[in-house]
Amino acid sequence: MLRILKINRSTYYKWHHFKPSAYELTTQHLKQVIKTLHADIPIYGAPRLTMWLQKLGYGVSQRSVWRIMHNLSIKAAVGHVNQKPRTKVIYPQRPNLVKNHPERPYWSADITYIQLVDGRWVYLSSVYDPIKRHVVGFAVDKRMTKEFVNRSFGRALSCTGRPQYLHSDMGSQYTSDLFESSLRRHQMQHSYSLKGYPYDNEGIESFHATIKRELIYLNQYQTLREVIISVENYIYWFNTSRISLVG
């Protein structure tokens, strides 16, 4: 058969007795592990997958993980961005109490938009601790009212280590008498971002961008209840298990 196929006898025996090298065996094993991890959390790219693998005891570099992901044609999941509706906001002049005082612990608060399949919008109000990088309170509702943001603040109050300051933009919900009186009742001072300076509140802006990229844009929601359950599960995971690239 070898003569007919014009194959050298040495070539045949090399194939017949072939054994993969330790490197090849390790690479094949890593491929299966990376496929499993990526299927579990598809939003993770090479940096976070590398950190996850290292926590599991694998001595692997980010470059190696990227190469394997490239060979497997897998990458971090990215969803479609929806254009939020425009709103008109009146900006009174209020002080920024934390911008020039990085030593002051504070919570930051903001609202973001989530679109349902039928085109309706619902809203997520969050209170975020930029020091611990945790969401300490949130609420989801179909209306963007002062009671809505006050509810998310109320949930945050159950956390220990309440700071002296809360920072927000100057939207009408946060400048309302209801919200201001809630802060005074709990002896917290209100700090504000100036118009055109969203980076004054960059911690919560970053969180809202993250939850949209890693959750909202990857799903299609039919009802408000679906959004509430999804967001609640994500925030629990974000606070307890999500791998952060920030040291």
Side-chain angles (χ1 to χ4, degrees), residues 70-87:
H70 181 72
N71 290 338
L72 293 173
S73 298
I74 60 176
K75 57 184 178 180
V78 178
H80 174 70
V81 179
N82 295 318
Q83 183 66 39
K84 73 176 184 180
R86 295 182 178 274
T87 57

Side-chain angles (χ1 to χ4, degrees), residues 212-229:
K212 287 184 175 181
R213 184 178 65 252
E214 295 185 350
L215 179 74
I216 304 303
Y217 295 150
L218 299 176
N219 292 279
Q220 292 187 325
Y221 299 107
Q222 302 284 344
T223 65
L224 173 65
R225 178 171 175 78
E226 288 180 3
V227 177
I228 293 173
I229 294 172

Side-chain angles (χ1 to χ4, degrees), residues 117-133:
V117 171
D118 62 6
R120 290 179 298 153
W121 293 89
V122 297
Y123 309 97
L124 167 63
S125 169
S126 307
V127 181
Y128 182 77
D129 186 330
I131 304 299
K132 298 179 180 178
R133 294 197 291 273

Side-chain angles (χ1 to χ4, degrees), residues 141 143-152 173 176 178:
D141 208 326
R143 294 195 304 157
M144 195 166 46
T145 63
K146 58 186 178 182
E147 292 80 11
F148 164 55
V149 299
N150 206 51
R151 194 162 72 248
S152 63
Q173 297 86 0
S176 66
L178 175 64

